[in-house]
Amino acid sequence: MRAPSQGIRSFFEPKSIAVVGASTDSAKLASIIYSNLLENREKGVLKAPVYPVNPSHSSIGRNRCYPDVRSLPEVPELVVVAVPATLAVRLVGESAREGAKAAILISGGFAEAGRNDLEGEMLAAARAHGMRLLGPNTIGLVDKYSGVDTLFLKPTKRLGSGREVVSMLRPRRGGVAVISQSGHLGEVISEELAANHVGLRALVGTGNQLDVSVEDLIGHFGGDSRCSVIAVYLEGARDGRRFIREASRAAAAKPVIVFKLGKTKAGANAALTHTASLVGDLELYRAAFSKAGVVEADSLQSLVDYSVAFALLKPPAGRRLLVTTNAGGVGAIAADEAGRLGLRVPPLDWTARDAVKRCLTGLPLLSALKLGNPLDLTATVPTGPYVEATAAALASPGFDSAVVLPTHQTPAVDPDIAERMGAALKASGKPSCVSVMGRSPLAQMIQDGFLERGIPSFPTPERAVRALAALSSYSDSKPATVAAASEGTADRVSYLPKREGPLPPKVLEMLMSDYGIPSPRSVLVSPGGDAAEAGGLTFPVVCKLISRSLVHKSDRGGVILGIDDESGVASAVAKLRGLAAQLGVEWEGVLVQEMADQGVEVLLGSTRDPTFGPALAIGGGGKYAEVVRDTAVAIAPVGRREARRLILSTRLGRVLEGYRGEARGDITGLSRVVSDFSRILFENPSIGQVEVNPLIVSAKGVTAVDVRAVASGRRQASAPAAGIRGDIDAHP
Amino acid sequence: MRAPSQGIRSFFEPKSIAVVGASTDSAKLASIIYSNLLENREKGVLKAPVYPVNPSHSSIGRNRCYPDVRSLPEVPELVVVAVPATLAVRLVGESAREGAKAAILISGGFAEAGRNDLEGEMLAAARAHGMRLLGPNTIGLVDKYSGVDTLFLKPTKRLGSGREVVSMLRPRRGGVAVISQSGHLGEVISEELAANHVGLRALVGTGNQLDVSVEDLIGHFGGDSRCSVIAVYLEGARDGRRFIREASRAAAAKPVIVFKLGKTKAGANAALTHTASLVGDLELYRAAFSKAGVVEADSLQSLVDYSVAFALLKPPAGRRLLVTTNAGGVGAIAADEAGRLGLRVPPLDWTARDAVKRCLTGLPLLSALKLGNPLDLTATVPTGPYVEATAAALASPGFDSAVVLPTHQTPAVDPDIAERMGAALKASGKPSCVSVMGRSPLAQMIQDGFLERGIPSFPTPERAVRALAALSSYSDSKPATVAAASEGTADRVSYLPKREGPLPPKVLEMLMSDYGIPSPRSVLVSPGGDAAEAGGLTFPVVCKLISRSLVHKSDRGGVILGIDDESGVASAVAKLRGLAAQLGVEWEGVLVQEMADQGVEVLLGSTRDPTFGPALAIGGGGKYAEVVRDTAVAIAPVGRREARRLILSTRLGRVLEGYRGEARGDITGLSRVVSDFSRILFENPSIGQVEVNPLIVSAKGVTAVDVRAVASGRRQASAPAAGIRGDIDAHP
């Protein structure tokens, strides 16, 4: 089988290019693309020859135009198609048959307009001949190194007055690869990079992702030595497991920053079971990002800010931040934001204080200064001492990074502060960001002055701090190793029922036992059976009505607790039989179970997500679980260390860690159980979902008191076997 | 007694001004201020005469300079002082004695530098003569109408090349009053208003707030007819109760928007008791904002964005938002953010769809369009049809407001889109914001073009949506009426102990009874008493060890539950006596209490906050209350309707509303109890704190099972009697 990222290189470094649809009408998209490519070739950036294809013309400008792909002097490695949808389908097919390796389909009018039929036909033709397809409905791509550029947006526009105005900034060549499911947003990110003096490796719009997906491109740029940062605008991964695999591999080499749309859209499967309803879509993506070591940006603005910071700075060695300013308020805001994000703002040590004092010798302000952190040198500090004091403090081994907040409006500050402060920050060797507030031309000159010197400059102190926090979290979370484990395609255990529906109690007991999850001893008193069957258990016991159509049995009186002897069991069985008749549900007997120790109630659930497959949820259990929503989610399987981190991320974790003399819960035992539990769906495709609620966790151990599971009715995993880091703890 | 906002007008509209410290050295702050004021007087903006005061000069320029305030031809109504701190103290005192009504003290070197002594002396002198003081350590103020302007920042700076560059934007005259505890941030907000084409009413820096506080100024601008919006950067109110009162009154007339610093700073009193530790500082401020109808901004950027939106738009009639765009991604981001903020993005009705279709007649794109909301007209829509379709959709009675996201980079869009779309949005009469992404000169022209037409224009779709959400929430929360109730200065109940320490059980019982809070019947078996004293109670009962030094008695075995008869009580009393001896705590007897019904455990606490006085916390109770932190806080007293809203804002509220067949909790009863409970500290200054945990809430009612309270040891409230809206529900 073909590797999924096979052939991607042909999009970026083709030996030859055909532009289908180019014409003498220069307003047509294909004509704009053709002329851009010609221009790049004339500049010597683009080495590949570019051929126009259009049966209506024999030449375009001074160049020969070809009636079809077959007539070209060579088989084009890359074909760019920008013609109406139905025609495009034919031309893509023709290109594939002729041996083209890659096609960029700019045209819209496909799945986004309800024409999935056209897409299917086209994909089949491409696949048959091993051609890869980008789009349809895409702006295509820009490669700043090879000169391939299909952006059909014009760099200038003419005003009513006749004046030509720049309408799009284009970044210089650099290291940031932008992958965007929205062409417009990709272009916007690219402009932002330009405005921040950050270079672009490439920009790719994925459009409808019929063939080439965000995952493919992350994989491609992960292995691309010219790319130093991958910035992604993501609406939804096509294959969640593969997304994790490609992003893990890429993130091990370079920062992968993702802004994922969908804070409020509930997942498609959300309402299926209790557990699924706790697992929001975005939460699972976040779990995937965390597993893969991806840096999450919570907005497009953060995606840009973090990309700029990662492109210009190396991650700090630790979380100790210095804040210096000549205005009090912004320093306070920066410190506040740092605290919120888990950065430390420690005081200056004595050596640093002395060094700072020396820089301020002779200034009247010195006597009134506190020399704290934020180091507020007040509005009267002149530029020189401000720069020197900042450099002196930052030289202290007590700081890993700095946020510098110079106010240029005070009379004491010279307009060349960006030059002098920028040089000092560069020389410090520690990652630093600045924020220069203000909207005047001088403010813009200073903001720009820092950027020209490679110092990220943000319009607000919070954004400067957030960018440094993102850099710091990357140092913490970068995955150390990447390993793969395959999802099962056949059940690991042999006794699962073939038909859909809830698993019977005895099967659940075997399953728990096979996965090492402790359960209370129990006996099933069958419909015709005798209560004396429960004689071997240790009292007290609990009796539970068994009936497949009764879901919330405790709410309906189907659970009788604290039965102290055999006669109690007998009367409970009789009572439950009566209840079944009264409720009109099947009478399938009674489960008699030893009562668990007292402890903390935990909910543990696993379900299949359409994007990510087997997923896991853990949180506070009992009947208020859904109200309290103290839940953490993860992509299954999880290792023991990942399980522990997951547990400790919930408020439940704080309860288990011990509180006010309460016996500490067995977190180590629970972590083992969570890890083992997470393999159940992963290894058994015929189980659709499983939930333990409550799982009782005491200081002595863990007991699964109530387990429910549903057979999915299928024996094969629906997705092709996908590798995924499994029980290996890549994030120690 | 003087009204707290008395004399504020003298700062803004003085009949005469003296500038103390002005000199022939034009670089001195006082000289800059003097020359700015002279310039305003020459322009005719400032009517008041301006006198320089400096014993070292007999003239400055062509104007006579006076040796001291006494020598001036008239008593100056306003004195501006910018000389070193110790000298300033003398001159402020002199001005007060001479009869000046107001002094702006620009100078620093006071409390912020540890010199509280200088401040005390100065304040006494000012108070003795009824003069008001702004500062010290302030940039002073700018009044765009009267021409009073003490900003000492220069509007331009000279570059090394000799070129003069604008270093500070100054807004035009308008309606926004900016009150800032940081002079620099106030100036930055003012520049942002200028960049957004929004006019300024006045800018005031409060500096150290020695006398004139943020509260004073909110009160002043609340009653100022030229002011339409009040924007506040707040570090901390000086008098929290007064802040609420002034802000409520102002917010009833116009939007009051506050950005409060302090997300991560724990409140000063945080560690005192359980309840206090749940009440973060910022949470109480948020409770105050909510009570007063203040719009909270979570950052300086939001403060600016909301101020711009409120200055330019009227609040929408409802929460139904139309999003239109010619690029998919930004529309999705806007809808996502709208959902997160509780705005609705409903589909177009048939009439609106037809109207939109008519605007797009003849365009090839029409066949592929979905006509949803976001209304994505795709990159090929020309300017005219885009504008017309937006206007047609917005005309539908189904929408209250719009966020319009035009992408100018596509070839189809003309550069005059701001002119045409701006006019259409204005004509719609519905509040609309736009976001034009991009950093090119054309992008800036279009962004500016919208602002020139009074349409708020933001760099990201999220910020546009957030601004509209803030407008919408103002419509919802605007306080309808303002009423005042006084905090008690003497205890309402007569039986409280005079000395500090925990209140004894019988006092607690009387207190609960006097405030109508149901408690289980109980009997105190005194140290020498007989268990038979408990004979009149209904079994089962619970026995609790009474000992003032035992705080968490249930954790130490001091609570024995489920006692079924008198002999059980006797043995429990014996056991608890033994426990007291073993723990080495006072033996003060045993409280025998009837057991409460089963129900939901609630925590109800009240404590005194140093800023806001009596405050209230409610949330999930029981021993995990501090871990789960499901708590809402409020400023006491709260009315029943406010109590209900508070309860429903917690997860506890969802539990009480009923869940999975669980009996519904008595929310009405609980609201009444919360409201009554909130008056306990408010009406009894000698109680320092009180906590009920758990308060059991069942379908049948509410029972305070365990109550603790501490006497503060004082009979008088420390703060002067401050009016506050009490049991009046101003937010229906």
Side-chain angles (χ1 to χ4, degrees):
Chain A
M1 203 185 126
R2 178 185 75 170
S5 60
Q6 184 185 308
I8 298 292
R9 181 173 295 268
S10 296
F11 287 101
F12 297 97
E13 290 162 26
K15 291 192 186 64
S16 54
I17 306 173
V19 182
V20 178
S23 88
T24 52
D25 176 355
S26 65
K28 295 253 181 222
L29 299 190
S31 307
I32 299 173
I33 294 168
Y34 174 62
S35 88
N36 286 347
L37 288 170
L38 271 195
E39 198 183 309
N40 277 357
R41 194 166 151 80
E42 278 156 24
K43 283 187 203 152
V45 190
L46 178 66
K47 307 292 182 214
V50 184
Y51 304 108
V53 175
N54 191 333
S56 313
H57 305 288
S58 60
S59 67
I60 294 177
R62 292 162 310 168
N63 299 302
R64 185 176 162 193
C65 184
Y66 300 85
D68 49 35
V69 172
R70 173 175 299 185
S71 328
L72 294 174
E74 61 183 312
V75 173
E77 186 170 353
L78 172 66
V79 180
V80 182
V81 179
V83 296
T86 43
L87 185 56
V89 173
R90 188 162 67 70
L91 291 167
V92 164
E94 188 181 312
S95 304
R97 280 189 299 278
E98 289 302 314
K101 296 287 174 226
I104 300 176
L105 190 44
I106 306 289
S107 322
F110 292 89
E112 87 284 4
R115 296 300 304 268
N116 302 60
D117 55 326
L118 295 177
E119 290 197 348
E121 188 181 330
M122 199 162 51
L123 184 61
R127 290 254 158 99
H129 298 88
M131 186 181 79
R132 300 302 306 262
L133 249 181
L134 179 65
N137 190 26
T138 175
I139 53 159
L141 67 89
V142 177
D143 184 316
K144 294 296 288 187
Y145 292 81
S146 73
V148 175
D149 184 340
T150 67
L151 229 54
F152 51 80
L153 309 174
K154 291 191 171 175
T156 62
K157 286 201 173 184
R158 193 176 298 277
L159 304 186
S161 66
R163 186 159 66 96
E164 202 73 14
V165 187
V166 173
S167 56
M168 180 171 66
L169 300 188
R170 303 217 49 176
R172 61 175 173 75
R173 193 180 270 194
V176 179
V178 177
I179 304 167
S180 175
Q181 281 188 259
S182 151
H184 167 242
L185 291 178
E187 194 282 319
V188 164
I189 297 166
S190 154
E191 279 201 47
E192 289 284 343
L193 295 178
N196 282 283
H197 299 252
V198 168
L200 183 72
R201 164 67 189 92
L203 161 63
V204 194
T206 58
N208 292 7
Q209 297 201 88
L210 176 58
D211 175 28
V212 174
S213 65
V214 167
E215 298 92 276
D216 287 317
L217 293 162
I218 291 175
H220 175 76
F221 288 114
D224 173 38
S225 61
R226 282 171 176 150
C227 169
S228 57
V229 174
I230 301 175
V232 183
Y233 168 70
L234 182 66
E235 296 191 347
R238 224 180 38 195
D239 174 346
R241 294 266 156 181
R242 201 169 149 241
F243 178 89
I244 296 175
R245 200 166 67 248
E246 297 291 357
S248 297
R249 204 173 289 149
K254 60 196 71 173
V256 179
I257 310 162
V258 178
F259 166 45
K260 166 75 176 71
L261 182 82
K263 291 189 182 76
T264 54
K265 195 190 157 201
N269 236 9
L272 270 187
T273 66
H274 290 164
T275 309
S277 74
L278 295 177
V279 177
D281 224 11
L282 186 60
E283 280 182 272
L284 262 191
Y285 271 95
R286 287 190 168 142
F289 297 158
S290 153
K291 202 163 190 111
V294 159
V295 177
E296 192 197 347
D298 65 357
S299 65
L300 199 74
Q301 188 166 71
S302 294
L303 178 63
V304 169
D305 287 354
Y306 299 173
S307 299
V308 168
F310 276 104
L312 298 179
L313 305 177
K314 63 179 206 310
R319 305 185 75 81
R320 298 163 309 165
L321 176 70
L322 170 70
V323 178
T324 81
T325 181
N326 57 340
V330 282
I333 291 176
D336 207 14
E337 186 71 3
R340 194 177 74 85
L341 298 172
L343 294 179
R344 291 179 48 216
V345 188
L348 278 69
D349 63 23
W350 286 103
T351 319
R353 287 168 63 94
D354 284 346
V356 168
K357 274 185 195 161
R358 276 194 298 278
C359 303
L360 305 174
T361 306
L363 294 176
L365 66 99
L366 183 55
S367 64
L369 280 188
K370 299 237 171 66
L371 299 184
N373 186 13
L375 181 59
D376 178 6
L377 300 172
T378 76
T380 60
V381 71
T383 312
Y386 181 19
V387 171
E388 289 150 24
T390 297
L394 189 51
S396 159
F399 296 110
D400 305 304
S401 63
V403 163
V404 176
L405 306 164
T407 309
H408 58 88
Q409 288 98 338
T410 70
V413 169
D414 299 326
D416 65 349
I417 185 158
E419 223 168 302
R420 293 152 73 184
M421 184 69 86
L425 295 178
K426 265 293 187 209
S428 76
K430 293 183 183 173
S432 306
C433 294
V434 304
S435 174
V436 176
M437 301 189 88
R439 297 289 293 263
S440 66
L442 181 61
Q444 286 171 37
M445 283 180 54
I446 295 173
Q447 290 153 359
D448 230 49
F450 278 109
L451 288 167
E452 277 165 18
R453 282 157 188 87
I455 309 289
S457 167
F458 299 101
T460 72
E462 290 104 321
R463 283 170 62 184
V465 171
R466 281 201 288 269
L468 270 178
L471 282 173
S472 302
S473 70
Y474 179 68
S475 323
D476 298 345
S477 76
K478 205 174 150 184
T481 56
V482 175
S486 277
E487 191 173 0
T489 53
D491 288 341
R492 186 171 160 240
V493 301
S494 57
Y495 42 76
L496 295 172
K498 287 194 171 63
R499 59 162 203 204
E500 216 175 320
L503 301 191
K506 275 292 158 194
V507 170
L508 289 173
E509 207 173 294
M510 284 156 75
L511 195 62
M512 291 299 110
S513 158
D514 280 347
Y515 278 89
I517 299 167
S519 307
R521 287 199 305 151
S522 70
V523 163
L524 180 66
V525 178
S526 54
D530 184 351
E533 291 169 21
L537 299 177
T538 305
F539 289 96
V541 296
V542 54
C543 286
K544 298 176 179 177
L545 173 61
I546 305 300
S547 176
R548 69 193 66 208
S549 47
L550 194 63
V551 178
H552 295 305
K553 49 182 172 283
S554 68
D555 294 350
R556 313 295 296 270
V559 177
I560 300 173
L561 298 163
I563 298 164
D564 285 325
D565 51 32
E566 275 184 51
S567 71
V569 172
S571 70
V573 168
K575 202 167 160 187
L576 291 172
R577 187 200 308 256
L579 179 69
Q582 183 195 329
L583 295 174
V585 297
E586 305 88 339
W587 164 241
E588 299 178 85
V590 169
L591 188 72
V592 187
Q593 206 174 42
E594 293 181 354
M595 279 189 73
D597 289 333
Q598 284 221 309
V600 178
E601 295 193 334
V602 172
L603 178 149
L604 199 54
S606 186
T607 183
R608 292 186 192 277
D609 179 79
T611 305
F612 290 103
L616 179 83
I618 180 169
K623 56 186 171 171
Y624 297 120
E626 287 173 51
V627 175
V628 173
R629 296 186 73 91
D630 170 34
T631 309
V633 303
I635 316 286
V638 301
R640 294 184 190 187
R641 253 183 292 179
E642 188 179 350
R644 173 181 284 271
R645 214 174 39 247
L646 208 61
I647 294 161
L648 294 180
S649 76
T650 60
R651 285 184 295 265
L652 166 71
R654 290 188 53 199
V655 174
L656 293 173
E657 277 187 311
Y659 164 68
R660 253 177 57 181
E662 179 82 15
R664 187 183 276 259
D666 179 8
I667 295 182
T668 302
L670 178 59
S671 302
R672 187 187 57 68
V673 165
V674 168
S675 174
D676 293 344
F677 177 86
S678 77
R679 290 188 292 112
I680 296 178
L681 258 65
F682 192 71
E683 294 178 345
N684 299 285
S686 67
I687 304 181
Q689 58 195 56
V690 54
E691 181 179 304
V692 185
N693 186 15
L695 181 80
I696 300 288
V697 181
S698 71
K700 287 179 254 168
V702 177
T703 312
V705 171
D706 201 355
V707 183
R708 295 184 304 116
V710 177
S712 62
R714 63 190 164 91
R715 285 258 154 204
Q716 298 292 319
S718 64
I724 173 127
R725 286 189 293 145
D727 48 0
I728 290 175
D729 275 300
H731 308 224
Chain B
M1 205 185 125
R2 181 184 73 171
S5 59
Q6 184 186 307
I8 299 291
R9 180 173 294 268
S10 296
F11 288 101
F12 297 96
E13 290 162 25
K15 289 190 188 65
S16 55
I17 307 174
V19 182
V20 177
S23 86
T24 53
D25 176 355
S26 66
K28 296 256 183 223
L29 299 191
S31 307
I32 299 172
I33 294 167
Y34 175 61
S35 87
N36 286 346
L37 288 171
L38 273 194
E39 200 181 310
N40 277 358
R41 193 165 153 79
E42 278 155 23
K43 282 188 204 153
V45 188
L46 178 66
K47 306 293 182 212
V50 185
Y51 304 107
V53 174
N54 191 332
S56 312
H57 304 288
S58 59
S59 67
I60 295 175
R62 291 164 308 168
N63 300 302
R64 184 176 161 191
C65 184
Y66 300 85
D68 49 35
V69 172
R70 173 174 301 187
S71 327
L72 294 175
E74 61 182 312
V75 174
E77 186 169 355
L78 171 67
V79 180
V80 182
V81 179
V83 297
T86 43
L87 185 55
V89 174
R90 189 162 65 72
L91 292 167
V92 165
E94 190 180 312
S95 303
R97 279 189 299 276
E98 289 302 313
K101 296 289 174 223
I104 299 177
L105 191 43
I106 306 291
S107 323
F110 292 89
E112 87 284 1
R115 296 301 303 271
N116 303 59
D117 55 325
L118 295 178
E119 290 197 347
E121 190 182 327
M122 201 161 49
L123 185 60
R127 290 255 158 100
H129 297 90
M131 186 181 80
R132 302 301 308 261
L133 249 180
L134 179 65
N137 191 27
T138 175
I139 52 158
L141 68 89
V142 177
D143 184 314
K144 294 296 287 187
Y145 291 80
S146 73
V148 176
D149 183 340
T150 67
L151 229 57
F152 52 80
L153 309 173
K154 290 191 173 177
T156 63
K157 285 200 174 186
R158 194 176 298 276
L159 304 185
S161 66
R163 186 159 66 95
E164 200 77 10
V165 187
V166 173
S167 55
M168 180 171 68
L169 300 189
R170 303 215 52 177
R172 60 173 173 76
R173 195 180 267 195
V176 180
V178 177
I179 304 167
S180 175
Q181 281 189 261
S182 151
H184 168 243
L185 291 178
E187 194 283 318
V188 164
I189 297 167
S190 152
E191 279 201 46
E192 289 285 344
L193 294 179
N196 282 283
H197 298 252
V198 169
L200 183 72
R201 164 66 188 92
L203 160 64
V204 192
T206 59
N208 292 6
Q209 296 201 89
L210 175 59
D211 174 29
V212 173
S213 65
V214 168
E215 298 92 276
D216 286 317
L217 292 162
I218 291 175
H220 175 76
F221 287 114
D224 174 38
S225 61
R226 282 169 175 153
C227 168
S228 57
V229 175
I230 301 175
V232 183
Y233 167 69
L234 183 67
E235 298 190 345
R238 223 178 41 191
D239 174 347
R241 294 267 155 181
R242 203 171 146 237
F243 178 89
I244 297 175
R245 199 168 65 247
E246 298 290 357
S248 298
R249 203 172 289 150
K254 60 195 71 172
V256 179
I257 310 162
V258 178
F259 166 45
K260 166 74 176 73
L261 182 83
K263 291 189 183 72
T264 56
K265 194 189 155 201
N269 235 10
L272 272 188
T273 68
H274 290 165
T275 308
S277 76
L278 294 177
V279 177
D281 225 9
L282 187 60
E283 280 182 272
L284 262 192
Y285 271 95
R286 288 191 167 142
F289 297 158
S290 152
K291 204 167 189 103
V294 159
V295 177
E296 192 195 349
D298 64 357
S299 66
L300 199 72
Q301 190 166 71
S302 294
L303 178 62
V304 169
D305 288 355
Y306 299 174
S307 300
V308 168
F310 276 104
L312 298 180
L313 305 178
K314 65 178 201 314
R319 304 185 76 81
R320 299 163 308 166
L321 177 71
L322 169 72
V323 178
T324 82
T325 180
N326 56 340
V330 283
I333 291 176
D336 207 12
E337 186 72 3
R340 195 176 74 83
L341 298 172
L343 292 180
R344 292 178 50 216
V345 189
L348 277 68
D349 62 24
W350 285 103
T351 317
R353 287 169 62 97
D354 284 346
V356 167
K357 273 185 195 160
R358 275 194 298 278
C359 303
L360 305 173
T361 307
L363 295 175
L365 66 99
L366 183 55
S367 65
L369 279 188
K370 297 237 173 65
L371 300 184
N373 186 11
L375 180 61
D376 178 7
L377 300 173
T378 78
T380 59
V381 72
T383 312
Y386 181 19
V387 171
E388 288 150 26
T390 296
L394 188 51
S396 159
F399 297 111
D400 305 304
S401 64
V403 163
V404 176
L405 306 164
T407 309
H408 58 89
Q409 289 98 341
T410 69
V413 169
D414 299 325
D416 64 350
I417 185 160
E419 222 169 304
R420 291 152 72 183
M421 185 70 86
L425 295 178
K426 265 292 187 211
S428 77
K430 293 182 183 174
S432 305
C433 295
V434 304
S435 173
V436 177
M437 300 190 89
R439 297 288 294 261
S440 66
L442 181 59
Q444 286 171 38
M445 281 179 54
I446 294 173
Q447 289 153 1
D448 232 48
F450 278 110
L451 288 167
E452 278 166 16
R453 283 161 187 83
I455 309 288
S457 167
F458 299 101
T460 71
E462 291 103 320
R463 283 170 62 185
V465 172
R466 280 201 288 269
L468 270 178
L471 281 174
S472 302
S473 70
Y474 179 68
S475 323
D476 299 346
S477 76
K478 203 173 151 185
T481 57
V482 175
S486 277
E487 191 171 0
T489 53
D491 290 340
R492 185 171 161 240
V493 303
S494 57
Y495 43 76
L496 296 172
K498 288 194 170 63
R499 59 165 202 202
E500 217 174 320
L503 300 191
K506 274 295 158 191
V507 171
L508 289 172
E509 209 174 292
M510 283 155 76
L511 196 60
M512 291 299 110
S513 157
D514 280 347
Y515 278 89
I517 299 167
S519 308
R521 285 200 305 152
S522 71
V523 163
L524 180 67
V525 178
S526 54
D530 184 352
E533 292 170 20
L537 299 177
T538 306
F539 290 97
V541 298
V542 53
C543 286
K544 298 176 179 177
L545 173 61
I546 302 303
S547 177
R548 68 193 66 206
S549 47
L550 194 63
V551 177
H552 294 305
K553 50 182 172 285
S554 68
D555 293 351
R556 312 298 294 272
V559 176
I560 300 172
L561 298 164
I563 297 164
D564 284 325
D565 51 31
E566 275 184 50
S567 71
V569 173
S571 70
V573 168
K575 202 167 159 189
L576 292 172
R577 187 200 310 256
L579 179 69
Q582 183 196 330
L583 295 174
V585 296
E586 303 90 339
W587 163 241
E588 300 178 83
V590 169
L591 188 73
V592 187
Q593 207 173 42
E594 292 181 356
M595 279 186 75
D597 290 332
Q598 283 219 311
V600 178
E601 294 194 334
V602 173
L603 178 148
L604 198 54
S606 185
T607 183
R608 291 186 192 279
D609 180 79
T611 305
F612 290 102
L616 179 83
I618 179 168
K623 55 187 173 173
Y624 296 122
E626 287 173 51
V627 175
V628 174
R629 296 184 72 88
D630 170 33
T631 308
V633 303
I635 316 288
V638 300
R640 295 184 188 185
R641 252 184 293 180
E642 188 178 351
R644 172 180 286 268
R645 213 172 40 245
L646 208 62
I647 294 161
L648 295 179
S649 76
T650 61
R651 286 184 294 267
L652 164 71
R654 290 189 50 198
V655 174
L656 294 174
E657 279 187 309
Y659 166 66
R660 253 176 58 181
E662 179 83 16
R664 186 182 277 257
D666 178 8
I667 296 182
T668 302
L670 178 59
S671 303
R672 188 186 56 72
V673 165
V674 168
S675 173
D676 292 344
F677 177 86
S678 76
R679 290 188 291 115
I680 296 179
L681 258 66
F682 192 72
E683 295 178 343
N684 299 285
S686 66
I687 303 180
Q689 58 195 55
V690 54
E691 181 179 303
V692 184
N693 186 12
L695 180 80
I696 301 287
V697 181
S698 71
K700 288 180 257 166
V702 176
T703 313
V705 171
D706 202 355
V707 183
R708 295 184 305 115
V710 177
S712 61
R714 65 187 161 90
R715 287 259 153 201
Q716 296 294 319
S718 65
I724 173 130
R725 285 190 292 146
D727 46 359
I728 291 175
D729 275 299
H731 308 227

